Amino acid sequence: MLSRVYSCAVVGLEGVIVEVEVDYTNGLPAVIIVGLPDAAVQESRERVQTAVKNAGLNFPRHRIVVNLSPAAIRKEGPAYDLPIALGVVILAGFLPQESIEGAMFIGELSLDGIVRHTRGVLPMAAAARANGFKRMFVPEADAGEAALIPDLEVYPVKSLAHLYDHLAGRHLIQPYQPSSDSLEPLFTPTDFAEIKGQEHVKRALEVAAAGGHNCLLVGSPGAGKTLLARAMPGILPEMSIEESLDVTRIYSVADQLPAGTPLIKHRPFRSPHHTISHAGLVGGGNIPKPGEISLAHRGVLFLDEFPEFGTRVLEVMRQPMEDKVVTISRAKGSLTFSANFQLIAAMNPCPCGYWGDSQKACTCAPAVVTKYQKRISGPLLDRIDIHIEVPRVDYEKLSANKLGETSETIRKRVQTARDIQNQRFANSTDIVCNADMRIGEVRQFCQLQPEGQSLMRAAMSQLNLSARAYHRILKLSRTIADLAGSEEIQSTHLAEALQYRPKIMMG
């Protein structure tokens, strides 16, 4: 008698229902798995046989065929251990097929039958609900993550024996009840109040945080570029529940959710080293996985020592910065990952770091400076809205006891500006801040008054601005007006936005 158990695969960021069919066939005792399984799925034969035996049940001495359908989708990872074991138990007659009606099962088995953590539980739970499943049995460690999806009963399973007792009606498992104390580990960034001087840089970062704009910090070594960028999480606005679920799904698929944290509530702050490969940055691999730009979705990607990153690594970011998604194509198909991140980059102006410094002379030849700065291409610089110089801080400011504005004070202003944007884009599903605006929204929400238009006309000819730069300046002006609580974009807002463009092409 054929047994049929439902499980789930993850393709990109989406769950796909997998039907696990188990039946006897003629031949010597063995377990054969078909349906495009990878090595981890093939190895489940040994895990399942030992786990069933250690759960106190007899493994059938027959030739057993396991089919994972649809056969066209590659099955990877050990998430199918539990459904395969359950299919064998039903096939052997220990449980009736009716006991698992309307339920989905996922989980890796250890040899003693303990059910272990599985990655990608959140998109699997979303797929379960979308396909009409009412119950879902998941590893105990992942129950909180699955329970984020409403209208789905989630059962935390400790072991195969535990699940068998529940389905046989002996000892029932209670559905998981979410608790409010499962919070992310508290990340405390540097407070802006502790950073002496650099008021204009703090202002630029406030504007960047309020509108989700990209920002480049240029200055000599030790001026505070990295410190300022790492203080950024303290002023970022809160994520909506939709954004939190969006980010959590990516971390679930990448298997990077912190233990005991089913839902990510703080905006991601990713800071990869400059030796990272382009596949590590944008995602990739034989079976594509999300890269750093996807892990920074709805948060900040901080690239320190910007020119030290490989040219190819930086150039592959250009399209995701524009489209807010990255599509990775392979011979077996293409996958799309979300990548709506805010880029904060920091760099020295030259190899020695002191080109243009007020106190220390630069030792680099002009040609070397130009070559160093040309490592970052014009098209990439054009996609960065805010270019800001970070000068060295003088002794008087460093030694003064006076503290600046706290991160909390700045964050309140940023949150107010974001609230204005949330109301503005309430009818749009994919635009949450000014940096996300497309040309249609820019035309609608970034109207200039006559004096602003004449200022913009002069700036276009003097700064040789591209059409992209023109639209980015308008978006930036809109954010500055939102911070000021202004309905209209005044010429002062436009003037501040123009100040953040590079005066000349670097080098």
Side-chain angles (χ1 to χ4, degrees):
M1 182 197 83
L2 173 80
S3 70
R4 192 176 271 114
V5 183
Y6 287 96
S7 189
C8 197
V10 175
V11 179
L13 296 176
E14 301 301 322
V16 177
I17 303 300
V18 171
E19 207 174 302
V20 180
E21 299 172 313
V22 185
D23 203 356
Y24 295 134
T25 185
N26 296 328
L28 293 170
V31 178
I32 297 135
I33 300 176
V34 295
L36 215 57
D38 74 348
V41 181
Q42 289 283 13
E43 287 168 358
S44 69
R45 291 175 300 200
E46 281 68 32
R47 288 194 297 272
V48 166
Q49 287 186 55
T50 315
V52 169
K53 177 181 68 100
N54 287 330
L57 303 167
N58 292 324
F59 196 88
R61 301 285 295 156
H62 295 281
R63 191 176 188 81
I64 295 171
V65 176
V66 178
N67 178 37
L68 305 176
S69 169
I73 293 173
R74 185 157 186 80
K75 321 301 182 307
E76 54 164 0
Y80 308 102
D81 289 4
L82 188 61
I84 291 172
L86 199 53
V88 170
V89 168
I90 292 168
L91 185 68
F94 293 114
L95 285 171
Q97 179 75 44
E98 297 74 50
S99 64
I100 62 165
E101 286 299 317
M104 178 189 277
F105 300 84
I106 53 166
E108 175 186 347
L109 288 174
S110 62
L111 295 184
D112 59 356
I114 298 294
V115 182
R116 288 180 169 160
H117 155 75
T118 301
R119 71 176 184 87
V121 169
L122 186 61
M124 289 179 184
R129 190 192 64 175
N131 285 275
F133 288 89
K134 297 285 182 279
R135 299 180 295 156
M136 187 172 184
F137 292 81
V138 300
E140 194 175 32
D142 301 324
E145 192 183 328
L148 294 171
I149 303 297
D151 307 324
L152 187 69
E153 274 195 344
V154 175
Y155 292 86
V157 182
K158 292 179 184 171
S159 66
L160 182 58
H162 186 215
L163 177 61
Y164 173 71
D165 286 345
H166 170 84
L167 295 173
R170 291 188 198 131
H171 300 291
L172 295 182
I173 302 171
Q174 294 306 310
Y176 180 82
Q177 297 299 326
S179 61
S180 56
D181 57 350
S182 51
L183 294 171
E184 278 179 272
L186 195 60
F187 170 58
T188 350
T190 309
D191 198 293
F192 267 64
E194 301 290 338
I195 303 172
K196 304 293 175 70
Q198 311 292 20
E199 263 64 39
H200 70 298
V201 185
K202 292 179 189 175
R203 166 65 182 176
L205 289 176
E206 180 184 335
V207 172
H213 302 285
N214 301 323
C215 183
L216 175 64
L217 308 173
V218 186
S220 51
K225 303 183 295 294
T226 306
L227 186 66
L228 283 155
R230 289 194 180 278
M232 189 80 175
I235 65 167
L236 291 174
E238 288 180 6
M239 280 203 289
S240 66
I241 188 68
E242 290 80 13
E243 287 178 305
S244 287
L245 285 168
D246 216 9
V247 172
T248 305
R249 183 184 288 116
I250 295 169
Y251 276 72
S252 176
V253 169
D255 206 9
Q256 293 207 20
L257 272 181
T261 308
L263 183 67
I264 291 180
K265 295 176 182 169
H266 300 299
R267 292 188 182 274
F269 183 88
R270 304 292 297 184
S271 179
H273 192 257
H274 59 74
T275 53
I276 192 171
S277 67
H278 72 280
L281 190 68
V282 300
N286 195 15
I287 297 164
K289 297 281 191 302
E292 287 290 334
I293 62 171
S294 294
L295 292 168
H297 180 61
R298 297 294 176 203
V300 171
L301 178 71
F302 174 47
L303 301 184
D304 206 356
E305 307 297 344
F306 199 34
E308 300 299 333
F309 284 81
T311 306
R312 185 184 173 199
V313 174
L314 292 179
E315 293 309 301
V316 292
M317 283 202 312
R318 278 161 50 176
Q319 177 263 334
M321 283 171 76
E322 206 68 31
D323 298 346
K324 314 294 185 190
V325 294
V326 58
T327 302
I328 299 162
S329 297
R330 294 286 179 269
K332 295 169 187 168
S334 62
L335 294 176
T336 299
F337 296 117
S338 307
N340 190 352
F341 61 94
Q342 182 179 352
L343 175 68
I344 304 290
M347 64 176 281
N348 297 330
C350 67
C352 82
Y354 296 102
W355 185 74
D357 189 83
S358 58
Q359 296 184 19
K360 191 165 180 179
C362 173
T363 57
C364 306
V368 175
V369 176
T370 305
K371 186 181 176 186
Y372 183 77
Q373 294 180 352
K374 286 276 169 65
R375 286 188 192 176
I376 303 161
S377 67
L380 186 59
L381 283 174
D382 209 30
R383 287 168 166 83
I384 298 175
D385 308 344
I386 298 175
H387 297 247
I388 192 85
E389 286 186 22
V390 185
R392 63 166 68 230
V393 184
D394 57 33
Y395 174 76
E396 280 69 28
K397 282 184 181 169
L398 274 177
S399 58
N401 288 325
K402 185 185 167 195
L403 293 176
E405 267 191 316
T406 63
S407 291
E408 187 56 33
T409 309
I410 299 171
R411 197 178 75 80
K412 282 176 183 166
R413 291 201 296 268
V414 168
Q415 188 65 58
T416 305
R418 276 292 175 104
D419 291 342
I420 293 169
Q421 292 165 49
N422 288 339
Q423 289 172 0
R424 179 180 298 137
F425 307 123
N427 298 327
S428 174
T429 53
D430 57 342
I431 299 181
V432 294
C433 59
N434 288 336
D436 295 346
M437 282 194 284
R438 295 175 289 259
I439 292 175
E441 286 82 18
V442 171
R443 190 173 62 248
Q444 186 179 349
F445 299 117
C446 303
Q447 296 287 340
L448 292 178
Q449 295 166 334
E451 57 202 81
Q453 286 181 351
S454 57
L455 177 61
M456 195 67 177
R457 190 178 293 110
M460 284 287 287
S461 59
Q462 285 178 22
L463 299 175
N464 296 323
L465 298 176
S466 66
R468 182 191 291 116
Y470 168 74
H471 288 116
R472 285 187 175 271
I473 288 168
L474 288 179
K475 292 183 204 178
L476 199 54
S477 308
R478 180 68 268 169
T479 302
I480 295 166
D482 289 344
L483 276 168
S486 169
E487 286 279 331
E488 300 285 328
I489 297 177
Q490 310 289 343
S491 52
T492 50
H493 305 144
L494 184 60
E496 185 181 346
L498 286 165
Q499 278 184 349
Y500 295 133
R501 296 302 301 177
K503 304 298 178 289
I504 50 165
M505 193 59 190
M506 291 184 66

